[in-house]
Amino acid sequence: MSHLIDYIKVYLFGYQTTVHAHTIKQTEDNYSLEGKIAPRFHNEGETDVIILNITVKPGEMFNCSANTFFMQGNINIIMSDDRDKNKLVCIYNSLQEKKDC
């Protein structure tokens, strides 16, 4: 039911989605997905990354989304101790109220 309310807000009350990127360089025990829409993780580093017990090799992507729905909860992201070789980028959308011009 809450997702229906979100759709009503988007279409009737002037909301829009915006895209964001967040770079992660070290292990995150509780990376928050709260409010993210369609989060995708891109391993742009030189080392393997483990997300939800799945190994994501350099150059690979991990899709953690339920398209068009706001995510909730946290996930564990495990990276090597070498921060200089780690680079995981989370691309996601969020809902923003449109501003009048």
Side-chain angles (χ1 to χ4, degrees):
M1 183 66 171
S2 70
H3 297 296
L4 177 60
I5 293 169
D6 291 334
Y7 287 124
I8 291 169
K9 281 192 240 177
V10 169
Y11 294 110
L12 295 180
F13 299 115
Y15 283 76
Q16 64 187 7
T17 59
T18 56
V19 68
H20 303 272
H22 179 236
T23 300
I24 304 161
K25 301 286 280 178
Q26 63 187 14
T27 293
E28 294 275 347
D29 292 331
N30 289 301
Y31 182 78
S32 176
L33 297 175
E34 193 70 31
K36 292 177 172 73
I37 301 170
R40 290 101 43 217
F41 294 89
H42 300 263
N43 186 351
E44 300 294 324
E46 300 174 36
T47 61
D48 291 352
V49 176
I50 299 172
I51 304 171
L52 294 174
N53 296 323
I54 303 293
T55 300
V56 182
K57 300 214 172 278
E60 292 182 345
M61 182 193 76
F62 181 82
N63 189 351
C64 189
S65 74
N67 287 336
T68 71
F69 293 106
F70 295 101
M71 301 295 290
Q72 295 180 5
N74 300 313
I75 60 171
N76 290 334
I77 298 171
I78 302 170
M79 304 176 99
S80 80
D81 291 333
D82 190 349
R83 290 184 64 179
D84 292 333
K85 293 185 178 183
N86 296 335
K87 184 178 181 186
L88 184 68
V89 180
C90 179
I91 307 291
Y92 62 95
N93 296 82
S94 66
L95 193 61
Q96 306 280 318
E97 187 174 5
K98 287 183 181 178
K99 295 183 178 172
D100 293 332
C101 296

